[in-house]
Amino acid sequence: MKKPVGEGRTKDTGHTDIPILRKRVDAIDDQILELINQRLLAARDIGRIKQRAGTAVVDSRREGEIFQRLLSLNKGPLKTGGLFRIFGSTIMSGREVQDMHGAVEAPPVYAIFGDPVGHSLSPVMHNSALAQTGHQGVYLAFKVRDIAAAVGGIRGLDIQGVSITIPHKVSVMRYLDEVDALAEEIGAVNTIVNRQGILHGYNTDCPGAVKALLEKTTIKGKQVAIVGAGGGARAIGFGIKQAEGRITIINRSRLSGEKLAGDLSCDFKPLAEVRKLDYDIVVNATPAGMIPHDGSTPVKPELLEVGTVVMDTVYNPLKTRFLRDAENADCMTIDGVSMLVHQGAVQFELWTGENAPVDVMRRAVLDELSNC
Ligand code: NAP
């Protein structure tokens, strides 16, 4: 008879069947429950001492230290996002037993609206950042088809901040109360901040791309080629223009390429006519190379020149074919996770007013992308 999926010998433990493994899981759960209760009793005692001394129950700095210590200890298959989820809940339970008078309120809600949104890395990135900084809050993903109704939901549910992704970055703008001047110029919003019911729109892809580049190079006066002319290329283009880079838009189709180049007052070259990429910086702002098309690349490897700084906006896979070709051509490379994390960090700062824990956000995203 055919065995059910998952049954049989496992390589990791050497146990032979599911019932034995399940007994082991049950025994571990018993221990975890006992330990959590012991932890909560200790937290309650700390709470009583704090209340007698008149000090605040919530200590964000201490919570941040707990996460740092746990992150440095974690050597197993538990990913950074999972670690923040599990210990974030444990710490929230600790807050509840410390504060018997109900001063701990329901946490603020943050969200991402998009379609599709199931594989978004933003929840793990932002929930890790919220937990690490001790900022109360939960970040949820919503598959949104009707963006007008969803924006109504921000007001109705008092959602504090929202990330906007494909396909709503342009259409969302007309439902907001205020749109930041840069987002207006770019023509796309990827971030909403709810300030006392007034919804403000921003574009953080733009500063996110610039920050990712500035980690490795300077931009002022540099020759920068942006391959692509879609929404991502627009945001990156306006950022590089602000940072005083000298841009050339390279695109497959002439119409959209010339339009963006016109808006940025810069040069345009059709992709098919490029014979040499002799620029200081080359950015891929096309989806070429993204899973499942990870064998493709926006430009032929022989066009890449030694010493160029090459940035990809595609982050899945982390090392795209474009970046592998660039490494082989002795270019300096910047992966798409850098831009993702930096645009997320700007969102976090807009929402919370606090510095974003960029390293933790990066680690959470990288862990999520890894297969372990
Ligand atoms: P988009 O608006 O659909 O634009 C796509 C652009 O890529 C168009 O200019 C298109 O050229 C070009 N293109 C598409 N497939 C191509 C191919 N196989 N070869 C050459 N050119 C191709 O998309 P988008 O919103 O700008 O997004 C582009 C990429 O940026 C996506 O991979 C997205 O994930 C990434 N992105 C990353 C971040 C981040 O934080 N890392 C943020 C934003 C966007 P035509 O004009 O000829 O169609």
mmCIF file of all heavy atoms in Angstrom, residues 165-166 169 190 205 208-209 227-236 250-257 271 284-290 296-299 311-315 335-344, ligand 1:
data_model
loop_
_atom_site.group_PDB
_atom_site.id
_atom_site.type_symbol
_atom_site.label_atom_id
_atom_site.label_comp_id
_atom_site.label_asym_id
_atom_site.label_seq_id
_atom_site.Cartn_x
_atom_site.Cartn_y
_atom_site.Cartn_z
ATOM 1 N N THR A 165 1.053 48.076 -3.502
ATOM 2 C CA THR A 165 1.861 47.436 -4.537
ATOM 3 C C THR A 165 1.005 47.161 -5.769
ATOM 4 O O THR A 165 -0.158 47.589 -5.833
ATOM 5 C CB THR A 165 2.582 46.186 -3.962
ATOM 6 O OG1 THR A 165 3.493 45.708 -4.941
ATOM 7 C CG2 THR A 165 1.627 45.079 -3.550
ATOM 8 N N ILE A 166 1.628 46.475 -6.747
ATOM 9 C CA ILE A 166 0.977 46.188 -8.031
ATOM 10 C C ILE A 166 -0.427 45.631 -7.811
ATOM 11 O O ILE A 166 -0.587 44.771 -6.938
ATOM 12 C CB ILE A 166 1.837 45.165 -8.824
ATOM 13 C CG1 ILE A 166 3.111 45.878 -9.308
ATOM 14 C CG2 ILE A 166 1.105 44.528 -9.985
ATOM 15 C CD1 ILE A 166 4.172 44.949 -9.871
ATOM 16 N N LYS A 169 -0.559 51.223 -7.580
ATOM 17 C CA LYS A 169 0.295 52.365 -7.222
ATOM 18 C C LYS A 169 -0.141 53.677 -7.874
ATOM 19 O O LYS A 169 0.088 54.750 -7.325
ATOM 20 C CB LYS A 169 1.759 52.075 -7.596
ATOM 21 C CG LYS A 169 2.440 51.063 -6.685
ATOM 22 C CD LYS A 169 3.919 50.940 -7.031
ATOM 23 C CE LYS A 169 4.596 49.858 -6.224
ATOM 24 N NZ LYS A 169 6.035 49.749 -6.498
ATOM 25 N N ASN A 190 3.381 54.458 -3.217
ATOM 26 C CA ASN A 190 3.506 53.095 -2.682
ATOM 27 C C ASN A 190 3.363 53.066 -1.162
ATOM 28 O O ASN A 190 3.525 52.017 -0.555
ATOM 29 C CB ASN A 190 4.837 52.453 -3.107
ATOM 30 C CG ASN A 190 6.001 52.956 -2.294
ATOM 31 O OD1 ASN A 190 5.994 54.086 -1.819
ATOM 32 N ND2 ASN A 190 7.015 52.126 -2.122
ATOM 33 N N ASP A 205 9.845 54.053 -3.035
ATOM 34 C CA ASP A 205 10.742 53.342 -3.970
ATOM 35 C C ASP A 205 11.874 54.275 -4.381
ATOM 36 O O ASP A 205 13.010 53.851 -4.595
ATOM 37 C CB ASP A 205 9.984 52.911 -5.230
ATOM 38 C CG ASP A 205 9.091 51.700 -4.966
ATOM 39 O OD1 ASP A 205 9.376 50.938 -4.029
ATOM 40 O OD2 ASP A 205 8.101 51.532 -5.709
ATOM 41 N N GLY A 208 14.351 54.788 -1.590
ATOM 42 C CA GLY A 208 14.875 53.444 -1.305
ATOM 43 C C GLY A 208 15.965 53.062 -2.300
ATOM 44 O O GLY A 208 17.018 52.548 -1.920
ATOM 45 N N ALA A 209 15.725 53.339 -3.586
ATOM 46 C CA ALA A 209 16.722 53.011 -4.614
ATOM 47 C C ALA A 209 17.984 53.849 -4.421
ATOM 48 O O ALA A 209 19.107 53.341 -4.535
ATOM 49 C CB ALA A 209 16.129 53.265 -6.002
ATOM 50 N N VAL A 227 17.657 50.627 -17.087
ATOM 51 C CA VAL A 227 17.047 49.769 -18.095
ATOM 52 C C VAL A 227 15.598 49.523 -17.663
ATOM 53 O O VAL A 227 15.354 48.974 -16.590
ATOM 54 C CB VAL A 227 17.816 48.438 -18.239
ATOM 55 C CG1 VAL A 227 17.240 47.618 -19.388
ATOM 56 C CG2 VAL A 227 19.300 48.689 -18.436
ATOM 57 N N GLY A 228 14.651 49.951 -18.502
ATOM 58 C CA GLY A 228 13.232 49.856 -18.169
ATOM 59 C C GLY A 228 12.624 51.249 -18.129
ATOM 60 O O GLY A 228 13.348 52.250 -17.965
ATOM 61 N N ALA A 229 11.307 51.292 -18.319
ATOM 62 C CA ALA A 229 10.628 52.595 -18.324
ATOM 63 C C ALA A 229 9.253 52.498 -17.670
ATOM 64 O O ALA A 229 8.363 53.299 -17.935
ATOM 65 C CB ALA A 229 10.497 53.105 -19.761
ATOM 66 N N GLY A 230 9.092 51.497 -16.778
ATOM 67 C CA GLY A 230 7.820 51.336 -16.068
ATOM 68 C C GLY A 230 7.818 52.143 -14.772
ATOM 69 O O GLY A 230 8.621 53.069 -14.586
ATOM 70 N N GLY A 231 6.922 51.731 -13.855
ATOM 71 C CA GLY A 231 6.756 52.457 -12.592
ATOM 72 C C GLY A 231 8.030 52.467 -11.761
ATOM 73 O O GLY A 231 8.392 53.501 -11.182
ATOM 74 N N GLY A 232 8.708 51.315 -11.700
ATOM 75 C CA GLY A 232 9.949 51.239 -10.916
ATOM 76 C C GLY A 232 11.011 52.168 -11.477
ATOM 77 O O GLY A 232 11.659 52.918 -10.739
ATOM 78 N N ALA A 233 11.176 52.123 -12.802
ATOM 79 C CA ALA A 233 12.178 52.971 -13.460
ATOM 80 C C ALA A 233 11.865 54.456 -13.219
ATOM 81 O O ALA A 233 12.772 55.267 -13.003
ATOM 82 C CB ALA A 233 12.213 52.676 -14.962
ATOM 83 N N ARG A 234 10.605 54.826 -13.241
ATOM 84 C CA ARG A 234 10.199 56.233 -12.997
ATOM 85 C C ARG A 234 10.650 56.680 -11.612
ATOM 86 O O ARG A 234 11.250 57.740 -11.444
ATOM 87 C CB ARG A 234 8.671 56.378 -13.059
ATOM 88 C CG ARG A 234 8.085 56.481 -14.413
ATOM 89 C CD ARG A 234 6.620 56.886 -14.336
ATOM 90 N NE ARG A 234 6.479 58.324 -14.182
ATOM 91 C CZ ARG A 234 6.600 59.187 -15.179
ATOM 92 N NH1 ARG A 234 6.863 58.771 -16.401
ATOM 93 N NH2 ARG A 234 6.470 60.465 -14.960
ATOM 94 N N ALA A 235 10.333 55.826 -10.583
ATOM 95 C CA ALA A 235 10.683 56.189 -9.201
ATOM 96 C C ALA A 235 12.200 56.310 -9.065
ATOM 97 O O ALA A 235 12.711 57.282 -8.486
ATOM 98 C CB ALA A 235 10.128 55.142 -8.234
ATOM 99 N N ILE A 236 12.924 55.347 -9.613
ATOM 100 C CA ILE A 236 14.388 55.355 -9.513
ATOM 101 C C ILE A 236 14.939 56.567 -10.269
ATOM 102 O O ILE A 236 15.842 57.270 -9.797
ATOM 103 C CB ILE A 236 14.970 54.034 -10.070
ATOM 104 C CG1 ILE A 236 14.511 52.860 -9.209
ATOM 105 C CG2 ILE A 236 16.495 54.087 -10.142
ATOM 106 C CD1 ILE A 236 14.723 51.496 -9.837
ATOM 107 N N ILE A 250 17.135 53.331 -20.965
ATOM 108 C CA ILE A 250 17.273 52.311 -22.014
ATOM 109 C C ILE A 250 16.036 51.430 -21.930
ATOM 110 O O ILE A 250 15.761 50.863 -20.862
ATOM 111 C CB ILE A 250 18.553 51.478 -21.787
ATOM 112 C CG1 ILE A 250 19.789 52.387 -21.909
ATOM 113 C CG2 ILE A 250 18.620 50.303 -22.753
ATOM 114 C CD1 ILE A 250 21.098 51.709 -21.580
ATOM 115 N N ASN A 251 15.296 51.345 -23.018
ATOM 116 C CA ASN A 251 14.068 50.542 -22.933
ATOM 117 C C ASN A 251 13.805 49.779 -24.220
ATOM 118 O O ASN A 251 14.247 50.170 -25.297
ATOM 119 C CB ASN A 251 12.861 51.418 -22.590
ATOM 120 C CG ASN A 251 11.692 50.589 -22.080
ATOM 121 O OD1 ASN A 251 11.890 49.684 -21.259
ATOM 122 N ND2 ASN A 251 10.490 50.853 -22.567
ATOM 123 N N ARG A 252 13.077 48.677 -24.040
ATOM 124 C CA ARG A 252 12.718 47.793 -25.146
ATOM 125 C C ARG A 252 11.831 48.550 -26.132
ATOM 126 O O ARG A 252 12.131 48.626 -27.307
ATOM 127 C CB ARG A 252 11.971 46.596 -24.537
ATOM 128 C CG ARG A 252 11.820 45.412 -25.384
ATOM 129 C CD ARG A 252 11.249 44.275 -24.559
ATOM 130 N NE ARG A 252 9.981 44.627 -23.894
ATOM 131 C CZ ARG A 252 9.252 43.784 -23.192
ATOM 132 N NH1 ARG A 252 9.653 42.536 -23.041
ATOM 133 N NH2 ARG A 252 8.126 44.161 -22.631
ATOM 134 N N SER A 253 10.762 49.179 -25.635
ATOM 135 C CA SER A 253 9.896 49.907 -26.569
ATOM 136 C C SER A 253 10.177 51.400 -26.491
ATOM 137 O O SER A 253 10.380 51.977 -25.414
ATOM 138 C CB SER A 253 8.417 49.607 -26.326
ATOM 139 O OG SER A 253 8.146 49.636 -24.972
ATOM 140 N N ARG A 254 10.197 51.986 -27.683
ATOM 141 C CA ARG A 254 10.605 53.376 -27.831
ATOM 142 C C ARG A 254 9.616 54.336 -27.163
ATOM 143 O O ARG A 254 10.023 55.289 -26.484
ATOM 144 C CB ARG A 254 10.724 53.688 -29.340
ATOM 145 C CG ARG A 254 11.273 55.047 -29.672
ATOM 146 C CD ARG A 254 11.438 55.202 -31.169
ATOM 147 N NE ARG A 254 12.678 54.635 -31.665
ATOM 148 C CZ ARG A 254 13.860 55.256 -31.629
ATOM 149 N NH1 ARG A 254 13.967 56.457 -31.104
ATOM 150 N NH2 ARG A 254 14.932 54.673 -32.116
ATOM 151 N N LEU A 255 8.323 54.043 -27.322
ATOM 152 C CA LEU A 255 7.301 54.996 -26.889
ATOM 153 C C LEU A 255 7.404 55.307 -25.395
ATOM 154 O O LEU A 255 7.538 56.467 -24.981
ATOM 155 C CB LEU A 255 5.907 54.444 -27.236
ATOM 156 C CG LEU A 255 4.787 55.450 -27.207
ATOM 157 C CD1 LEU A 255 4.953 56.485 -28.311
ATOM 158 C CD2 LEU A 255 3.429 54.736 -27.347
ATOM 159 N N SER A 256 7.373 54.234 -24.563
ATOM 160 C CA SER A 256 7.411 54.474 -23.113
ATOM 161 C C SER A 256 8.782 54.964 -22.683
ATOM 162 O O SER A 256 8.902 55.777 -21.762
ATOM 163 C CB SER A 256 6.994 53.228 -22.342
ATOM 164 O OG SER A 256 7.658 52.100 -22.826
ATOM 165 N N GLY A 257 9.836 54.504 -23.368
ATOM 166 C CA GLY A 257 11.195 54.963 -23.045
ATOM 167 C C GLY A 257 11.350 56.450 -23.289
ATOM 168 O O GLY A 257 11.864 57.191 -22.448
ATOM 169 N N LEU A 271 16.803 49.608 -26.330
ATOM 170 C CA LEU A 271 17.601 48.483 -25.805
ATOM 171 C C LEU A 271 18.307 47.720 -26.932
ATOM 172 O O LEU A 271 19.487 47.368 -26.817
ATOM 173 C CB LEU A 271 16.668 47.553 -25.005
ATOM 174 C CG LEU A 271 17.279 46.347 -24.299
ATOM 175 C CD1 LEU A 271 18.402 46.740 -23.345
ATOM 176 C CD2 LEU A 271 16.205 45.574 -23.527
ATOM 177 N N ASN A 284 18.934 47.607 -13.400
ATOM 178 C CA ASN A 284 17.857 46.864 -14.080
ATOM 179 C C ASN A 284 16.535 47.180 -13.392
ATOM 180 O O ASN A 284 16.303 46.772 -12.257
ATOM 181 C CB ASN A 284 18.103 45.352 -14.027
ATOM 182 C CG ASN A 284 16.890 44.589 -14.566
ATOM 183 O OD1 ASN A 284 16.209 45.072 -15.486
ATOM 184 N ND2 ASN A 284 16.621 43.413 -14.016
ATOM 185 N N ALA A 285 15.656 47.889 -14.089
ATOM 186 C CA ALA A 285 14.312 48.178 -13.562
ATOM 187 C C ALA A 285 13.262 47.489 -14.421
ATOM 188 O O ALA A 285 12.165 48.009 -14.622
ATOM 189 C CB ALA A 285 14.084 49.678 -13.497
ATOM 190 N N THR A 286 13.615 46.310 -14.949
ATOM 191 C CA THR A 286 12.641 45.467 -15.663
ATOM 192 C C THR A 286 12.464 44.189 -14.832
ATOM 193 O O THR A 286 13.307 43.884 -13.984
ATOM 194 C CB THR A 286 13.132 45.057 -17.067
ATOM 195 O OG1 THR A 286 14.036 43.946 -16.931
ATOM 196 C CG2 THR A 286 13.825 46.195 -17.795
ATOM 197 N N PRO A 287 11.389 43.435 -15.094
ATOM 198 C CA PRO A 287 11.241 42.173 -14.337
ATOM 199 C C PRO A 287 12.083 41.034 -14.906
ATOM 200 O O PRO A 287 11.987 39.903 -14.407
ATOM 201 C CB PRO A 287 9.743 41.871 -14.452
ATOM 202 C CG PRO A 287 9.226 42.678 -15.583
ATOM 203 C CD PRO A 287 10.202 43.750 -15.906
ATOM 204 N N ALA A 288 12.895 41.290 -15.935
ATOM 205 C CA ALA A 288 13.690 40.215 -16.556
ATOM 206 C C ALA A 288 14.597 39.577 -15.499
ATOM 207 O O ALA A 288 15.306 40.283 -14.786
ATOM 208 C CB ALA A 288 14.517 40.783 -17.700
ATOM 209 N N GLY A 289 14.541 38.247 -15.408
ATOM 210 C CA GLY A 289 15.387 37.522 -14.459
ATOM 211 C C GLY A 289 14.636 37.074 -13.214
ATOM 212 O O GLY A 289 15.167 36.332 -12.386
ATOM 213 N N MET A 290 13.369 37.535 -13.078
ATOM 214 C CA MET A 290 12.591 37.183 -11.892
ATOM 215 C C MET A 290 12.063 35.750 -12.021
ATOM 216 O O MET A 290 11.682 35.340 -13.128
ATOM 217 C CB MET A 290 11.407 38.151 -11.780
ATOM 218 C CG MET A 290 10.715 38.126 -10.428
ATOM 219 S SD MET A 290 9.121 38.918 -10.492
ATOM 220 C CE MET A 290 9.542 40.586 -10.822
ATOM 221 N N SER A 296 16.662 34.414 -17.643
ATOM 222 C CA SER A 296 16.758 35.568 -18.566
ATOM 223 C C SER A 296 17.420 36.768 -17.887
ATOM 224 O O SER A 296 17.565 36.828 -16.659
ATOM 225 C CB SER A 296 15.371 35.945 -19.092
ATOM 226 O OG SER A 296 14.581 36.400 -18.038
ATOM 227 N N THR A 297 17.833 37.700 -18.730
ATOM 228 C CA THR A 297 18.545 38.889 -18.247
ATOM 229 C C THR A 297 18.214 40.048 -19.196
ATOM 230 O O THR A 297 17.960 39.818 -20.377
ATOM 231 C CB THR A 297 20.071 38.612 -18.180
ATOM 232 O OG1 THR A 297 20.726 39.781 -17.719
ATOM 233 C CG2 THR A 297 20.652 38.209 -19.517
ATOM 234 N N PRO A 298 18.185 41.283 -18.693
ATOM 235 C CA PRO A 298 17.781 42.392 -19.567
ATOM 236 C C PRO A 298 18.836 42.780 -20.592
ATOM 237 O O PRO A 298 18.503 43.318 -21.648
ATOM 238 C CB PRO A 298 17.536 43.544 -18.594
ATOM 239 C CG PRO A 298 18.374 43.205 -17.400
ATOM 240 C CD PRO A 298 18.411 41.727 -17.310
ATOM 241 N N VAL A 299 20.123 42.533 -20.274
ATOM 242 C CA VAL A 299 21.186 42.922 -21.231
ATOM 243 C C VAL A 299 22.174 41.777 -21.427
ATOM 244 O O VAL A 299 22.396 40.976 -20.511
ATOM 245 C CB VAL A 299 21.974 44.181 -20.747
ATOM 246 C CG1 VAL A 299 21.103 45.398 -20.734
ATOM 247 C CG2 VAL A 299 22.617 43.959 -19.405
ATOM 248 N N MET A 311 23.107 47.483 -10.337
ATOM 249 C CA MET A 311 22.054 47.210 -9.356
ATOM 250 C C MET A 311 20.865 46.537 -10.030
ATOM 251 O O MET A 311 20.443 46.966 -11.107
ATOM 252 C CB MET A 311 21.592 48.502 -8.685
ATOM 253 C CG MET A 311 20.508 48.268 -7.642
ATOM 254 S SD MET A 311 20.250 49.666 -6.539
ATOM 255 C CE MET A 311 18.774 50.378 -7.235
ATOM 256 N N ASP A 312 20.341 45.503 -9.387
ATOM 257 C CA ASP A 312 19.108 44.868 -9.865
ATOM 258 C C ASP A 312 17.980 45.252 -8.917
ATOM 259 O O ASP A 312 18.190 45.352 -7.704
ATOM 260 C CB ASP A 312 19.273 43.339 -9.899
ATOM 261 C CG ASP A 312 18.426 42.711 -10.988
ATOM 262 O OD1 ASP A 312 17.379 43.298 -11.335
ATOM 263 O OD2 ASP A 312 18.814 41.648 -11.507
ATOM 264 N N THR A 313 16.781 45.450 -9.474
ATOM 265 C CA THR A 313 15.622 45.672 -8.604
ATOM 266 C C THR A 313 14.896 44.364 -8.338
ATOM 267 O O THR A 313 14.095 44.269 -7.425
ATOM 268 C CB THR A 313 14.626 46.673 -9.224
ATOM 269 O OG1 THR A 313 14.195 46.170 -10.474
ATOM 270 C CG2 THR A 313 15.248 48.044 -9.402
ATOM 271 N N VAL A 314 15.193 43.357 -9.156
ATOM 272 C CA VAL A 314 14.603 42.027 -8.943
ATOM 273 C C VAL A 314 15.285 41.404 -7.725
ATOM 274 O O VAL A 314 16.511 41.448 -7.613
ATOM 275 C CB VAL A 314 14.817 41.130 -10.188
ATOM 276 C CG1 VAL A 314 14.369 39.701 -9.912
ATOM 277 C CG2 VAL A 314 14.072 41.701 -11.389
ATOM 278 N N TYR A 315 14.489 40.856 -6.785
ATOM 279 C CA TYR A 315 15.103 40.291 -5.578
ATOM 280 C C TYR A 315 14.789 38.797 -5.403
ATOM 281 O O TYR A 315 15.218 38.192 -4.429
ATOM 282 C CB TYR A 315 14.694 41.069 -4.327
ATOM 283 C CG TYR A 315 13.213 41.289 -4.182
ATOM 284 C CD1 TYR A 315 12.378 40.284 -3.737
ATOM 285 C CD2 TYR A 315 12.657 42.516 -4.510
ATOM 286 C CE1 TYR A 315 11.026 40.485 -3.624
ATOM 287 C CE2 TYR A 315 11.303 42.736 -4.395
ATOM 288 C CZ TYR A 315 10.489 41.710 -3.947
ATOM 289 O OH TYR A 315 9.141 41.919 -3.845
ATOM 290 N N ASP A 335 22.086 44.021 -4.819
ATOM 291 C CA ASP A 335 20.917 43.187 -5.119
ATOM 292 C C ASP A 335 19.604 43.920 -4.839
ATOM 293 O O ASP A 335 19.585 44.980 -4.204
ATOM 294 C CB ASP A 335 20.992 41.850 -4.359
ATOM 295 C CG ASP A 335 21.039 42.046 -2.862
ATOM 296 O OD1 ASP A 335 20.227 42.818 -2.339
ATOM 297 O OD2 ASP A 335 21.897 41.409 -2.209
ATOM 298 N N GLY A 336 18.507 43.310 -5.338
ATOM 299 C CA GLY A 336 17.188 43.940 -5.218
ATOM 300 C C GLY A 336 16.673 44.030 -3.793
ATOM 301 O O GLY A 336 15.801 44.856 -3.488
ATOM 302 N N VAL A 337 17.211 43.175 -2.896
ATOM 303 C CA VAL A 337 16.776 43.239 -1.498
ATOM 304 C C VAL A 337 17.194 44.579 -0.878
ATOM 305 O O VAL A 337 16.486 45.111 -0.026
ATOM 306 C CB VAL A 337 17.342 42.026 -0.702
ATOM 307 C CG1 VAL A 337 17.254 42.263 0.797
ATOM 308 C CG2 VAL A 337 16.569 40.763 -1.072
ATOM 309 N N SER A 338 18.316 45.126 -1.322
ATOM 310 C CA SER A 338 18.771 46.420 -0.753
ATOM 311 C C SER A 338 17.714 47.491 -0.977
ATOM 312 O O SER A 338 17.351 48.226 -0.048
ATOM 313 C CB SER A 338 20.081 46.859 -1.394
ATOM 314 O OG SER A 338 21.064 45.924 -1.096
ATOM 315 N N MET A 339 17.201 47.570 -2.224
ATOM 316 C CA MET A 339 16.177 48.586 -2.505
ATOM 317 C C MET A 339 14.894 48.280 -1.728
ATOM 318 O O MET A 339 14.276 49.180 -1.141
ATOM 319 C CB MET A 339 15.892 48.641 -4.002
ATOM 320 C CG MET A 339 14.773 49.597 -4.346
ATOM 321 S SD MET A 339 14.592 49.790 -6.123
ATOM 322 C CE MET A 339 12.969 50.541 -6.204
ATOM 323 N N LEU A 340 14.518 46.998 -1.698
ATOM 324 C CA LEU A 340 13.289 46.609 -0.989
ATOM 325 C C LEU A 340 13.359 47.030 0.485
ATOM 326 O O LEU A 340 12.418 47.615 1.034
ATOM 327 C CB LEU A 340 13.104 45.089 -1.090
ATOM 328 C CG LEU A 340 11.927 44.511 -0.326
ATOM 329 C CD1 LEU A 340 10.618 44.880 -1.013
ATOM 330 C CD2 LEU A 340 12.038 42.997 -0.201
ATOM 331 N N VAL A 341 14.499 46.733 1.103
ATOM 332 C CA VAL A 341 14.642 47.020 2.535
ATOM 333 C C VAL A 341 14.697 48.537 2.772
ATOM 334 O O VAL A 341 14.062 49.043 3.700
ATOM 335 C CB VAL A 341 15.902 46.308 3.089
ATOM 336 C CG1 VAL A 341 16.276 46.836 4.459
ATOM 337 C CG2 VAL A 341 15.654 44.806 3.146
ATOM 338 N N HIS A 342 15.410 49.251 1.919
ATOM 339 C CA HIS A 342 15.511 50.705 2.139
ATOM 340 C C HIS A 342 14.176 51.407 1.895
ATOM 341 O O HIS A 342 13.826 52.331 2.626
ATOM 342 C CB HIS A 342 16.616 51.313 1.284
ATOM 343 C CG HIS A 342 17.967 51.111 1.908
ATOM 344 N ND1 HIS A 342 18.329 51.710 3.093
ATOM 345 C CD2 HIS A 342 19.034 50.369 1.529
ATOM 346 C CE1 HIS A 342 19.558 51.338 3.424
ATOM 347 N NE2 HIS A 342 20.010 50.525 2.491
ATOM 348 N N GLN A 343 13.417 50.950 0.877
ATOM 349 C CA GLN A 343 12.110 51.601 0.695
ATOM 350 C C GLN A 343 11.201 51.261 1.874
ATOM 351 O O GLN A 343 10.412 52.094 2.320
ATOM 352 C CB GLN A 343 11.481 51.279 -0.676
ATOM 353 C CG GLN A 343 11.023 49.857 -0.925
ATOM 354 C CD GLN A 343 9.718 49.506 -0.231
ATOM 355 O OE1 GLN A 343 8.888 50.374 -0.003
ATOM 356 N NE2 GLN A 343 9.562 48.244 0.128
ATOM 357 N N GLY A 344 11.350 50.040 2.419
ATOM 358 C CA GLY A 344 10.566 49.640 3.592
ATOM 359 C C GLY A 344 10.980 50.442 4.825
ATOM 360 O O GLY A 344 10.144 50.809 5.649
HETATM 361 P P1 NAP B 1 6.358 47.734 -15.243
HETATM 362 O O1 NAP B 1 5.738 49.042 -14.918
HETATM 363 O O2 NAP B 1 5.527 46.624 -15.754
HETATM 364 O O3 NAP B 1 7.542 48.019 -16.304
HETATM 365 C C1 NAP B 1 8.302 46.996 -16.811
HETATM 366 C C2 NAP B 1 9.406 47.568 -17.696
HETATM 367 O O4 NAP B 1 10.306 46.505 -17.972
HETATM 368 C C3 NAP B 1 8.929 48.116 -19.027
HETATM 369 O O5 NAP B 1 9.740 49.220 -19.351
HETATM 370 C C4 NAP B 1 9.170 46.946 -19.975
HETATM 371 O O6 NAP B 1 9.488 47.365 -21.269
HETATM 372 C C5 NAP B 1 10.401 46.334 -19.408
HETATM 373 N N1 NAP B 1 10.523 44.882 -19.644
HETATM 374 C C6 NAP B 1 9.653 43.934 -19.249
HETATM 375 N N2 NAP B 1 10.126 42.730 -19.575
HETATM 376 C C7 NAP B 1 11.311 42.921 -20.200
HETATM 377 C C8 NAP B 1 12.278 42.052 -20.775
HETATM 378 N N3 NAP B 1 12.113 40.736 -20.750
HETATM 379 N N4 NAP B 1 13.379 42.599 -21.320
HETATM 380 C C9 NAP B 1 13.557 43.926 -21.332
HETATM 381 N N5 NAP B 1 12.680 44.809 -20.827
HETATM 382 C C10 NAP B 1 11.563 44.302 -20.241
HETATM 383 O O7 NAP B 1 7.111 47.140 -13.956
HETATM 384 P P2 NAP B 1 7.703 47.949 -12.706
HETATM 385 O O8 NAP B 1 6.625 48.176 -11.715
HETATM 386 O O9 NAP B 1 8.493 49.110 -13.206
HETATM 387 O O10 NAP B 1 8.659 46.874 -12.074
HETATM 388 C C11 NAP B 1 9.862 46.507 -12.721
HETATM 389 C C12 NAP B 1 10.699 45.655 -11.780
HETATM 390 O O11 NAP B 1 11.111 46.421 -10.653
HETATM 391 C C13 NAP B 1 9.945 44.460 -11.214
HETATM 392 O O12 NAP B 1 10.782 43.337 -11.265
HETATM 393 C C14 NAP B 1 9.681 44.834 -9.781
HETATM 394 O O13 NAP B 1 9.632 43.715 -8.913
HETATM 395 C C15 NAP B 1 10.929 45.660 -9.488
HETATM 396 N N6 NAP B 1 10.746 46.558 -8.342
HETATM 397 C C16 NAP B 1 11.503 46.287 -7.251
HETATM 398 C C17 NAP B 1 11.401 47.100 -6.161
HETATM 399 C C18 NAP B 1 12.269 46.788 -4.969
HETATM 400 O O14 NAP B 1 11.994 47.326 -3.898
HETATM 401 N N7 NAP B 1 13.326 45.996 -5.097
HETATM 402 C C19 NAP B 1 10.521 48.178 -6.132
HETATM 403 C C20 NAP B 1 9.756 48.430 -7.282
HETATM 404 C C21 NAP B 1 9.873 47.615 -8.389
HETATM 405 P P3 NAP B 1 8.364 47.812 -22.345
HETATM 406 O O15 NAP B 1 8.093 49.266 -22.059
HETATM 407 O O16 NAP B 1 9.007 47.560 -23.626
HETATM 408 O O17 NAP B 1 7.182 46.928 -22.059
#
